[in-house]
Amino acid sequence: MKDFLFNFKMPEHFFITGDPLIYGAYVSIILVSLAILFVLTYYKKWVWLWREWLTTVDHKKIGIMYLVAALLMLFRGGVDALLMRIQLTAPNMHFLDAEHYNQIFTTHGTIMILFMAMPFLIGLMNVAIPLQIGARDVAFPALNAVSFWMFAAGAMLFNISFVLGGSPDAGWTSYTPLAGSALDPGPGQNYYLLGLQIAGIGTLVTGINFLVTILKMRAPGMTLWRMPLFSWSTLITSVIIIFAFPVLTIALALLTLDRVFGFHFFTLAGGGSPMMWANLFWIWGHPEVYIVILPAFGLFSEIFSTFARKKLFGYNAMVYSMLAISALSFLVWVHHFFTMGSGPWINSILSISTMLIAIPTGVKVFNWLFTLYKGRVEFKTPMLWALGFIPIFLVGGITGVMLAVAPADYQYHNSYFLIAHFHYVLIGGTVYGCIAGLIYYWPKIVGWLLNEHLGKWAFWWFTIGFNLCFIPMYIVGLKGMTRRMYTYPAGLGWETWNLIATIGAFAMGIGFIILVWNMYYSFKHRQNDTTGDPWNGRTLEWMTSSPAAEYNFAVIPQVKGLDAFYLIKKERAAGVKEEAPEIKPIHMPKREAFPVIMSAFMFVAGFGFVFEWLQIGFLGLLGSVITMIWRSFNDYDRDYYIPVEEVKKTELAAGRRV
Amino acid sequence: METTTATKGYQPMEYKSEEGRLKIFGFWVFLSAEIVLFSTLFATYFVLVHQTAGGPAGKDLFEVNIFAMETFFLLTSSFTCGLAILYMRKNSMKGYLIWTIITLLLGLGFLILEIKEFSTLVEMGAGPTHSAFLSAFFTLVGTHGLHVSLGIVWVTSVMIQVIKRGFTPVTARKIFMTGLYWHFLDVVWIFLFSTIYLLGVA
Amino acid sequence: MRLKTKYAAIFLTMALLLSGCSSLKSGVLNPQGPVAKEQYDLIIWSIVLMSIVFIAVIVLFVYMLVKYRAKSSDEDYVETEEKENKWLEILWTAIPVVIIIALSIPTVKSTFKLEKSPSPNQKPITIQVTSANWKWIFKYPEQGIETVNYVNIPANVPVRFQLNAVGPMNSFWVPELGGQEYTMPGMTMYLWLEADKAGTYIGRSANFSGKDFTHMQFNVHSLEKGKFDEWIANVKKSAPKQTTDMFKQLLQPGVVKEQTYSSYPNVDVNRLDENGNPIIAPNSHQHGKSDDTEMKMDMNMNMDMNSNSHHNMNH
């Protein structure tokens, strides 16, 4: 017992040393932490931080925290990408060695998918969905905070790997046996497993939360078929999350058992099956692709409709095609390993099921285009990003169909052709969707608009850079360059293309900097959104003030059809008299301390298991269980009422009639 | 929302508040995620069931007496758990407490048997690190066992809350949710029992 | 308009890509054997079909943006109430269906065709490929020789590569001769390739396998039949023999130069664990297919790599 409690086996390198990048990271981590501590203490902001942010259950604030985290992670993942591009600028470069390069592409992929794309979209869902369906909050506000803090704990854990113990280096797919303890000992790979596991729990809870919210908390009159497309896409995404994420949970748990406890799920010794990891990973992984694309589709639908000043074309077809995509998303996972000997029958069937996805996706693209038909298309920045998405996603989509052709995939698989393809769909789809959505909802989040002029600069830098960066990758892929090579020999005709790609990557970086600078610049030269409806929106979120009051709606609106707010505005313009509804006291949840505490314990548990200090690991788990029990005992009087007087005061202050 | 419920006639206490209805619905959704979780574990088990690496297989290890007893305990506890909820509906604190305590004891009995079974296997040298089959077996059955353990903790904690506060919409909702959870674990066990133990010894 | 110039630029780039200008004539777009040719034709066919989609969407896209962009003259814009158009929607569902049928038929045909020898009338040669950290080992079971990090094949003869891995998975890819297949530990995979003429083609691992994965590049030399036989005879005469210890040494992680051996030890690489050590199994009922007497040998002598092979020499 005593041995167990006090035995801390240190890995070979606890503090990672020997590289200027890492020393830079140490220094910046310490300086930034000190600066934050200083600012919080100096301005006496600790209580404010605790009351307003750490313990908040307000979906709007949780959304903001998700978005801030996602932007930070986009920066981190982007820096990873630039480091890789620098290394590949010319043949035989020595900027990074193989070990560093392997860690960097692993963290780049993992962070971008799980710690950037997911939280970005979940953040936008948090910001917009309750407003869009006319609700006061999500169904389970406290669990929503659990989701965020679990994600934050997972992301923190994953990110400290860079300085403590070493980053994972088996790729974001982490195929066994390479990712097993025999070939990849040490804490790096454990960070991947535990970081994703903890964040994954948060995502699953988000899925449940939004499913219940959308099914049960819509404003009166809003039937499913009157729901805006972003709500539909969130609903469908939630279903995919609920069915896909448990598979990831299991996959990660089994590999953790293999690595930390010597089980034999994926090791050849003992009769395990390395191939099983690839299956489990992609049974989750392919639906995951749609988890990050469908909400973006939803956002594009809102944006096209708003800025074309027209109803979305083919609303029903749009919904059915999303349903079709979500069903197909579970039936195509084998296309990630056509070349692992599944046999001609399986390859043929999965080839065709993959191509089938092109049909509902094509329907969506044409419906978006026809939304513009006879409309009045305004090129505001959110619309620019949405329009940019169409040709980029088109290229990604058609090359996706090319990849679906199994025999041809034998020539594309794991080459830069594949890399180019999935960046075209994931950046063109997800990242463009996130940025479009962020700019679109920005005034609703903070109450002022982003500068259009700078916004256009950011868009063009990013878009031109993006195409410069990734078109060459299609070409070098066909020339035989495979992914994850840390360097390449001269004379294969790859040099020029790689140089262009690096230039493009830096242009994208400049685009990102302009985007972030724009946030600061627009804050300095604030142009307040006093109406709450800066874009002439069509859905209920634009009916609230900007930013929306804590309770969202003083009175829950009545929905009479699709594009509810557009209908209301039309009635107002036609001079139909609105009944002034009576304001009642508003029922709200109190703030909660347990999500952040529980997640802190999970972080401790994760850290313990990463270094295989089981006593710490189990202590952390115990801590989070005790927190849950404590919360269960205090699960009474978790709500309060905002009195009518206060609601009226808030509404008047926001310039609203009461 | 408040008005629609009034028209529906009889409403059990746990369904009376909007919050109660939402949480129960959410819990059903959570259980469907749990089904996916266990299905994945079952799938890995069947992939690896013959990978014994020369070590013992199911038929060398599983003892009919023990798993029959485990099954008896858990199935009965599911029944008594149902009775507890029935008494809760009848507003009988005594009945609720008696049947809940019996449920807990049966659950504990199940757990003790399972822990004994596991420790015997480990002593025999058939621990989870011995072969892929044993890894999968211990993980699947152990995950269920872990759920039962958490269930016992949860049911106990809810029982204490009920003793302190009586039956309220909030405690009734909690009792109902622990009940759902307990029945769910019972259903999972039926699959475990029939596909792992029965097929294993067959 | 800037938008238009941008899309013109994209279009031009795509056109350049499609026209197959001479600098692209390498790798996948430079097929040098029947397998690569089959895949090349399929790739071109898919590009043709996809170009139809690409052009249709881009034309529509540009048209919508130019025609319906907000102008100051349409301040009195009134929104149309049109929500959908059944015929249009059927049209753009039906056309992709047709395109997908046109693509899936040759896809399925090729998928089955590539499972078989590209030249069924020719007697094939078998070469066993083993990837190990971080090198390629080629065994010629019919000739009894072994090469490391390069492979010589006879031109115009179908080659049946039999793929295995010790340690991590890799993927065996020679783009100019045909698509890749994974090498997997504990599992044998097959890949048919054939070169039309003599020449040297670059191959590499396409699946990340750790530290020196990048250096897993090798040359495939296709030799005229006579030259190939000459080379075999030469190797048999002058190259060193490979002992079990030398083979064990070769499996150690690292990068090695090209090597040639006139013989190789009898080791079943499917029975080696992640680190290249024999998998110790008290008895191997489940391993199946091989016969019992050899299994017993396995049980007794599993530390001796010479004895526990029964898959290798089954021809």
Side-chain angles (χ1 to χ4, degrees), chain A residues 173-184:
Chain A
T173 49
S174 285
Y175 278 176
T176 53
L178 181 63
S181 56
L183 294 173
D184 197 351

PDB file of all heavy atoms in Angstrom, chain A residues 173-184:
ATOM      1  N   THR A 173      -4.522  10.018 -35.823  1.00  0.00           N
ATOM      2  CA  THR A 173      -5.245   8.751 -35.906  1.00  0.00           C
ATOM      3  C   THR A 173      -4.662   7.706 -34.961  1.00  0.00           C
ATOM      4  O   THR A 173      -5.327   6.728 -34.656  1.00  0.00           O
ATOM      5  CB  THR A 173      -5.179   8.198 -37.330  1.00  0.00           C
ATOM      6  OG1 THR A 173      -3.815   8.234 -37.744  1.00  0.00           O
ATOM      7  CG2 THR A 173      -6.015   9.004 -38.282  1.00  0.00           C
ATOM      8  N   SER A 174      -3.419   7.891 -34.546  1.00  0.00           N
ATOM      9  CA  SER A 174      -2.764   7.025 -33.562  1.00  0.00           C
ATOM     10  C   SER A 174      -2.988   5.542 -33.793  1.00  0.00           C
ATOM     11  O   SER A 174      -3.423   4.820 -32.895  1.00  0.00           O
ATOM     12  CB  SER A 174      -3.239   7.387 -32.148  1.00  0.00           C
ATOM     13  OG  SER A 174      -2.631   8.576 -31.758  1.00  0.00           O
ATOM     14  N   TYR A 175      -2.691   5.083 -34.989  1.00  0.00           N
ATOM     15  CA  TYR A 175      -2.867   3.662 -35.285  1.00  0.00           C
ATOM     16  C   TYR A 175      -1.999   2.804 -34.384  1.00  0.00           C
ATOM     17  O   TYR A 175      -0.822   3.089 -34.170  1.00  0.00           O
ATOM     18  CB  TYR A 175      -2.497   3.383 -36.745  1.00  0.00           C
ATOM     19  CG  TYR A 175      -3.590   3.697 -37.738  1.00  0.00           C
ATOM     20  CD1 TYR A 175      -3.365   3.577 -39.109  1.00  0.00           C
ATOM     21  CD2 TYR A 175      -4.851   4.092 -37.328  1.00  0.00           C
ATOM     22  CE1 TYR A 175      -4.356   3.856 -40.030  1.00  0.00           C
ATOM     23  CE2 TYR A 175      -5.848   4.371 -38.245  1.00  0.00           C
ATOM     24  CZ  TYR A 175      -5.598   4.261 -39.591  1.00  0.00           C
ATOM     25  OH  TYR A 175      -6.579   4.536 -40.505  1.00  0.00           O
ATOM     26  N   THR A 176      -2.586   1.738 -33.878  1.00  0.00           N
ATOM     27  CA  THR A 176      -1.795   0.713 -33.222  1.00  0.00           C
ATOM     28  C   THR A 176      -1.234  -0.183 -34.326  1.00  0.00           C
ATOM     29  O   THR A 176      -1.821  -0.262 -35.401  1.00  0.00           O
ATOM     30  CB  THR A 176      -2.684  -0.121 -32.292  1.00  0.00           C
ATOM     31  OG1 THR A 176      -3.796  -0.604 -33.037  1.00  0.00           O
ATOM     32  CG2 THR A 176      -3.154   0.686 -31.108  1.00  0.00           C
ATOM     33  N   PRO A 177      -0.126  -0.870 -34.129  1.00  0.00           N
ATOM     34  CA  PRO A 177       0.675  -0.951 -32.916  1.00  0.00           C
ATOM     35  C   PRO A 177       1.624   0.226 -32.693  1.00  0.00           C
ATOM     36  O   PRO A 177       2.245   0.286 -31.649  1.00  0.00           O
ATOM     37  CB  PRO A 177       1.492  -2.235 -33.137  1.00  0.00           C
ATOM     38  CG  PRO A 177       1.590  -2.387 -34.595  1.00  0.00           C
ATOM     39  CD  PRO A 177       0.342  -1.812 -35.169  1.00  0.00           C
ATOM     40  N   LEU A 178       1.714   1.159 -33.663  1.00  0.00           N
ATOM     41  CA  LEU A 178       2.656   2.267 -33.478  1.00  0.00           C
ATOM     42  C   LEU A 178       2.361   3.032 -32.193  1.00  0.00           C
ATOM     43  O   LEU A 178       3.277   3.474 -31.501  1.00  0.00           O
ATOM     44  CB  LEU A 178       2.568   3.217 -34.684  1.00  0.00           C
ATOM     45  CG  LEU A 178       3.513   4.411 -34.644  1.00  0.00           C
ATOM     46  CD1 LEU A 178       4.957   3.946 -34.668  1.00  0.00           C
ATOM     47  CD2 LEU A 178       3.253   5.349 -35.798  1.00  0.00           C
ATOM     48  N   ALA A 179       1.071   3.179 -31.867  1.00  0.00           N
ATOM     49  CA  ALA A 179       0.706   3.968 -30.687  1.00  0.00           C
ATOM     50  C   ALA A 179       0.677   3.130 -29.418  1.00  0.00           C
ATOM     51  O   ALA A 179       0.333   3.628 -28.357  1.00  0.00           O
ATOM     52  CB  ALA A 179      -0.660   4.625 -30.911  1.00  0.00           C
ATOM     53  N   GLY A 180       1.016   1.849 -29.527  1.00  0.00           N
ATOM     54  CA  GLY A 180       1.047   1.001 -28.336  1.00  0.00           C
ATOM     55  C   GLY A 180       2.292   1.250 -27.509  1.00  0.00           C
ATOM     56  O   GLY A 180       3.231   1.925 -27.950  1.00  0.00           O
ATOM     57  N   SER A 181       2.316   0.694 -26.304  1.00  0.00           N
ATOM     58  CA  SER A 181       3.442   1.016 -25.419  1.00  0.00           C
ATOM     59  C   SER A 181       4.753   0.403 -25.909  1.00  0.00           C
ATOM     60  O   SER A 181       5.827   0.896 -25.587  1.00  0.00           O
ATOM     61  CB  SER A 181       3.136   0.565 -23.998  1.00  0.00           C
ATOM     62  OG  SER A 181       2.825  -0.798 -23.989  1.00  0.00           O
ATOM     63  N   ALA A 182       4.676  -0.684 -26.689  1.00  0.00           N
ATOM     64  CA  ALA A 182       5.925  -1.306 -27.130  1.00  0.00           C
ATOM     65  C   ALA A 182       6.713  -0.382 -28.047  1.00  0.00           C
ATOM     66  O   ALA A 182       7.928  -0.274 -27.943  1.00  0.00           O
ATOM     67  CB  ALA A 182       5.629  -2.621 -27.833  1.00  0.00           C
ATOM     68  N   LEU A 183       6.020   0.283 -28.972  1.00  0.00           N
ATOM     69  CA  LEU A 183       6.728   1.105 -29.948  1.00  0.00           C
ATOM     70  C   LEU A 183       6.732   2.582 -29.576  1.00  0.00           C
ATOM     71  O   LEU A 183       7.446   3.368 -30.181  1.00  0.00           O
ATOM     72  CB  LEU A 183       6.080   0.933 -31.330  1.00  0.00           C
ATOM     73  CG  LEU A 183       6.219  -0.466 -31.913  1.00  0.00           C
ATOM     74  CD1 LEU A 183       5.406  -0.607 -33.183  1.00  0.00           C
ATOM     75  CD2 LEU A 183       7.680  -0.790 -32.188  1.00  0.00           C
ATOM     76  N   ASP A 184       5.908   2.971 -28.631  1.00  0.00           N
ATOM     77  CA  ASP A 184       5.811   4.386 -28.286  1.00  0.00           C
ATOM     78  C   ASP A 184       5.661   4.544 -26.774  1.00  0.00           C
ATOM     79  O   ASP A 184       4.614   4.956 -26.283  1.00  0.00           O
ATOM     80  CB  ASP A 184       4.603   4.999 -29.017  1.00  0.00           C
ATOM     81  CG  ASP A 184       4.667   6.517 -29.042  1.00  0.00           C
ATOM     82  OD1 ASP A 184       5.540   7.080 -28.344  1.00  0.00           O
ATOM     83  OD2 ASP A 184       3.843   7.135 -29.734  1.00  0.00           O
TER      84      ASP A 184
END
